[in-house]
Amino acid sequence: MQFGIFTVGDVTPDPTTGSAPTEAERIRATVTVARKAEEVGLDVFATGEHHNPPFVPSSPTTLLGYIAARTERIVLSTSTTLITTNDPVKIAEDFSVLQHLSGGRTDVMLGRGNTGPVYPWFGQDIRQAIPLTVEHYDLLRRLWREEVVDWEGKLRSPLQGFTLAPRPLDGIPPFVWHGSIRTPEVAELAAYYGDGFFANHIFWPASHTRKMVEMYRKRFAHYGHGTPESAVVGLGGQVFMRPNSQDAVREFRPYFDNAPVYGHGPSLEEFTSQTPLTVGSPQQVIDKTLGFREYAGDYQRQLFLLDHAGLPLKTVLEQLDLLGEEVVPVLRKEFAVGRSPEAPAAPTHQSLLRERDERDKRDTKNESG
């Protein structure tokens, strides 16, 4: 399994002090957090994409390219890249460049986006969200896989004789995750192409996540990509930790109550009982996260949200120390126990390259035989 963190990049005042970082400070802090994630041994750093205040990650590949130059090992991803309002040609170009800059340490999570005003800002109609997702992704796949693309759809101007530059690193397109909170059509799209499915998982109860993941696994097998157990699944999660659980609850409560993503709604206690949010000790985080396997099966990627709601950078870095030193080592060990032999490892550029080379060898052998 891969373990990592994702950020939504919110610029939120600290409710305990009333002060807020500048946009520049928030962006630089995100780079610090990504580098710290690598330092403590995490596998993945992912950034969201937002085009409205109070968020700053409007250009994910710019941010990830900067981080790539300052890291060596960690996989750089998104959470999410908007397949609806971004042009597929630009997505293909940006992530191909990022592949080359990072030495293949990149993949991409695609999603519709849930901020209605973004659609007209980029010349699109939110009522076409699902058709845009399907049509744009069809084109994106072809751009990464075909040398010369002739393409025509209904929602974008056609392409004639188009060649992507640069081509994907080693001829291997970035691995694609399709992220969703509640949209079954996204799970269906991931299953159809044999891609990964990432259940956002941070706002909904376990019963909803179970339903979405089971549907994806069943359809993955239906389309002939393998058994349901061999499908590639990722989950989101939220944590706040202190060695003493009461201290964690007391410290996090004002941040929860004022968070832009869930503040002024259910109480902290209600939210932690009904969703994956865990506020407590490292052991409580371990126990709750291990429970995800009960309804998601053996999965491949677990990402945690840490740096939100106005939490000071110092506090976020302390969370990363706890995650890297006390939580993830135990999760790696425990998730390996009883893991199905059919459950694949999390895809990486190197694993996809090996698979491609092995297929080529088999094909060559069959042709010569």
Side-chain angles (χ1 to χ4, degrees):
M1 282 185 67
Q2 292 175 333
F3 296 91
I5 59 171
F6 70 100
T7 181
V8 295
D10 59 306
V11 181
T12 304
D14 184 332
T16 67
T17 65
S19 64
T22 65
E23 291 177 324
E25 288 170 339
R26 184 67 173 95
I27 292 169
R28 289 195 295 267
T30 303
V31 175
T32 301
V33 168
R35 297 181 68 184
K36 180 71 171 182
E38 178 172 87
E39 177 188 318
V40 302
L42 301 187
D43 306 304
V44 183
F45 172 81
T47 176
E49 178 185 346
H50 297 277
H51 298 275
N52 55 294
F55 304 98
V56 292
S58 58
S59 181
T61 51
T62 303
L63 175 63
L64 294 177
Y66 188 89
I67 293 170
R70 286 153 180 80
T71 54
E72 297 179 356
R73 181 190 56 81
I74 198 164
V75 174
L76 304 171
S77 189
T78 52
S79 63
T80 303
T81 291
L82 301 178
I83 188 64
T84 47
T85 53
N86 283 303
D87 186 81
V89 173
K90 189 59 177 167
I91 295 175
E93 291 174 340
D94 285 351
F95 279 89
S96 286
V97 170
L98 184 58
Q99 272 193 314
H100 287 274
L101 286 173
S102 66
R105 292 185 292 122
T106 187
D107 55 37
V108 58
M109 188 193 304
L110 302 175
R112 296 187 304 126
N114 55 14
T115 305
V118 172
Y119 284 78
W121 294 345
F122 290 89
Q124 301 294 355
D125 182 348
I126 194 172
R127 293 171 296 183
Q128 296 294 321
I130 295 299
L132 280 166
T133 298
V134 174
E135 182 171 294
H136 281 186
Y137 186 54
D138 171 70
L139 175 55
L140 179 61
R141 283 183 62 87
R142 291 187 58 186
L143 291 167
W144 274 333
R145 287 166 172 79
E146 299 177 19
E147 287 287 340
V148 180
V149 175
D150 293 306
W151 178 91
E152 184 171 353
K154 296 181 179 179
L155 301 171
R156 187 201 184 280
S157 57
L159 292 177
Q160 294 181 345
F162 182 84
T163 296
L164 181 71
R167 302 297 301 158
L169 179 65
D170 301 318
I172 301 293
F175 184 78
V176 172
W177 300 84
H178 298 264
S180 177
I181 297 176
R182 60 185 180 274
T183 309
E185 290 90 344
V186 172
E188 177 74 13
L189 188 67
Y192 178 80
Y193 286 108
D195 297 329
F197 176 64
F198 190 93
N200 184 281
H201 194 220
I202 64 174
F203 299 119
W204 291 70
S207 58
H208 174 77
T209 300
R210 180 197 297 272
K211 181 179 179 181
M212 292 286 284
V213 171
E214 286 182 349
M215 173 199 163
Y216 160 68
R217 290 187 182 278
K218 180 179 179 180
R219 300 299 288 173
F220 181 94
H222 168 79
Y223 288 117
H225 301 298
T227 65
E229 293 76 19
S230 65
V232 179
V233 174
L235 297 179
Q238 304 173 84
V239 298
F240 185 85
M241 296 172 283
R242 288 303 184 198
N244 182 289
S245 61
Q246 289 82 3
D247 291 339
V249 171
R250 182 170 54 253
E251 183 177 348
F252 188 65
R253 188 180 299 280
Y255 296 96
F256 174 88
D257 289 344
N258 293 278
V261 291
Y262 45 54
H264 311 290
S267 69
L268 175 59
E269 286 74 16
E270 290 171 328
F271 207 81
T272 53
S273 69
Q274 297 172 15
T275 77
L277 174 65
T278 312
V279 180
S281 67
Q283 187 59 53
Q284 287 174 304
V285 171
I286 291 167
D287 292 343
K288 191 162 186 176
T289 305
L290 288 174
F292 296 168
R293 184 160 64 171
E294 296 175 7
Y295 52 87
D298 291 320
Y299 61 108
Q300 283 65 44
R301 176 175 285 184
Q302 174 66 56
L303 300 184
F304 295 103
L305 177 62
L306 299 178
D307 69 327
H308 62 306
L311 286 168
L313 177 59
K314 178 178 179 293
T315 301
V316 175
L317 298 179
E318 291 167 351
Q319 296 297 300
L320 280 164
D321 280 328
L322 290 169
L323 196 64
E325 295 170 6
E326 299 190 32
V327 174
V328 167
V330 178
L331 292 178
R332 290 191 196 280
K333 179 180 178 181
E334 293 298 325
F335 271 121
V337 175
R339 191 172 180 85
S340 169
E342 294 185 64
T348 65
H349 181 79
Q350 292 303 318
S351 71
L352 296 173
L353 182 58
R354 285 194 299 271
E355 290 176 11
R356 197 270 310 274
D357 291 345
E358 290 170 1
R359 283 196 305 270
D360 289 347
K361 289 179 181 178
R362 288 196 300 269
D363 293 344
T364 301
K365 183 178 180 180
N366 291 337
E367 290 174 1
S368 62

